[in-house]
Amino acid sequence: MISKNELKFIKSLHKKSERDEFKLFVAEGTKLVTDLIKSGGSINQLLVTKKWVIEHPEVLIDLNLSPLEISESEMERITGLSSPSPILAVFHQPNLAHDIAQNNDSILLLDDIRDPGNLGTIIRTADWFGIKQIICSPNTVDCYNSKVIQSTMGSIMRVKISYQSLPEFILANKSNYTFYGTFMNGNSINNLKFVPKSAFIIGNEAHGISPEVEMLTDQRIAIPGNQLNDGVAGPESLNAAIATSVVLYDWFSKK
């Protein structure tokens, strides 16, 4: 049995202010919830419908879970999805990292990424290519936004994320990293050999890298495209998550 106050509290966690205060976040869907658990996520509360229990007994046994069963109508009241999932979990937020792990050979810096889907995909992509530390500017979207969590598919538990001033971070770490900023008019990544400790900067979806961060960038890099090579008409830029994927693949393939 779950109370109205408990339902109201869980619903409130879709707001950043509530997530920040209680250091919790919500995840929905069987694959996402199980991936988060297997990646070390600490559950505060697990809610499922009776139908889900009947259809997924192996998950409960495999992960040794004891969920609270609620009705489908109660699940509809707390979901953040347009179509409610039959399973919702409240997780404790891992401590956000403020120190760079000494064994990290390369890192990622995000300059005001605003789209939750972009951030989630970037976190997942970083995890795929072995980037384990992401530094976000204060205006980057909250990494515990439900849409971000949905897009990471568990990677949120395997990548350390911090929010801090990028100019201050860069200045404090100039001797440790070479900072590569992504620009439309930079040097083609095809011609670059990245240093062992690289820091890749991805700019805002609409405005790119901010002038304050641009001034501190060591090298301007670009992803070659048809319009850059031939001067033909084309899109202004790549999606931030796609650009991250291309740069990290190039870096990974040259390691």
Side-chain angles (χ1 to χ4, degrees):
M1 190 77 176
I2 189 168
S3 70
K4 291 182 179 179
N5 283 339
E6 287 178 295
L7 290 173
K8 184 177 179 181
F9 173 71
I10 294 170
K11 181 69 173 179
S12 75
L13 294 175
H14 293 297
K15 298 178 181 178
K16 184 180 185 302
S17 59
E18 300 297 310
R19 294 194 299 270
D20 288 348
E21 179 177 354
F22 296 100
K23 302 302 178 186
L24 299 170
F25 71 91
V26 172
E28 301 181 64
T30 302
K31 175 121 180 31
L32 176 59
V33 171
T34 54
D35 279 352
L36 288 169
I37 294 170
K38 290 177 180 178
S39 299
S42 174
I43 285 186
N44 172 269
Q45 201 166 13
L46 179 62
L47 308 174
V48 299
T49 62
K50 183 176 182 179
K51 182 179 179 181
W52 187 90
V53 173
I54 294 172
E55 293 178 348
H56 298 87
E58 75 288 349
V59 175
L60 297 176
I61 295 171
D62 182 40
L63 299 177
N64 192 27
L65 300 175
S66 300
L68 176 63
E69 192 175 307
I70 65 173
S71 68
E72 292 183 5
S73 62
E74 288 172 326
M75 191 66 83
E76 287 178 1
R77 290 173 58 186
I78 59 176
T79 184
L81 303 175
S82 55
S83 298
S85 167
I87 175 172
L88 179 150
V90 178
F91 284 89
H92 294 282
Q93 295 182 9
N95 292 327
L96 292 181
H98 289 287
D99 298 321
I100 298 298
Q102 294 302 311
N103 60 348
N104 275 349
D105 60 347
S106 291
I107 60 175
L108 187 63
L109 280 68
L110 304 181
D111 192 4
D112 291 5
I113 297 297
R114 302 297 181 89
D115 182 82
N118 272 343
L119 179 58
T121 302
I122 288 170
I123 294 170
R124 188 177 179 186
T125 301
D127 186 23
W128 178 263
F129 288 115
I131 297 286
K132 296 301 182 183
Q133 188 99 34
I134 298 177
I135 312 299
C136 298
S137 65
N139 288 327
T140 292
V141 65
D142 178 27
C143 64
Y144 296 116
N145 175 296
S146 59
K147 291 182 180 179
V148 176
I149 296 296
Q150 207 74 27
S151 299
T152 68
M153 294 307 294
S155 292
I156 191 74
M157 293 296 176
R158 296 186 291 271
V159 178
K160 294 181 178 180
I161 301 170
S162 72
Y163 285 76
Q164 54 188 293
S165 164
L166 295 192
E168 290 180 10
F169 176 85
I170 294 171
L171 286 171
N173 288 275
K174 272 289 188 180
S175 61
N176 299 324
Y177 294 93
T178 296
F179 291 88
Y180 298 91
T182 51
F183 295 89
M184 290 297 293
N185 58 351
N187 296 318
S188 170
I189 56 175
N190 287 344
N191 306 321
L192 287 175
K193 183 176 181 180
F194 299 109
V195 300
K197 296 192 74 171
S198 300
F200 301 103
I201 308 169
I202 305 296
N204 173 269
E205 292 90 345
H207 307 294
I209 292 173
S210 62
E212 297 83 2
V213 173
E214 180 179 355
M215 288 175 58
L216 300 171
T217 299
D218 295 315
Q219 289 201 45
R220 301 167 64 94
I221 63 174
I223 298 168
N226 191 48
Q227 71 272 34
L228 296 184
N229 291 335
D230 301 332
V232 299
E236 289 185 356
S237 63
L238 288 173
N239 169 280
I242 296 297
T244 304
S245 299
V246 174
V247 170
L248 292 187
Y249 170 76
D250 190 73
W251 161 78
F252 182 81
S253 67
K254 294 174 179 175
K255 284 178 64 176

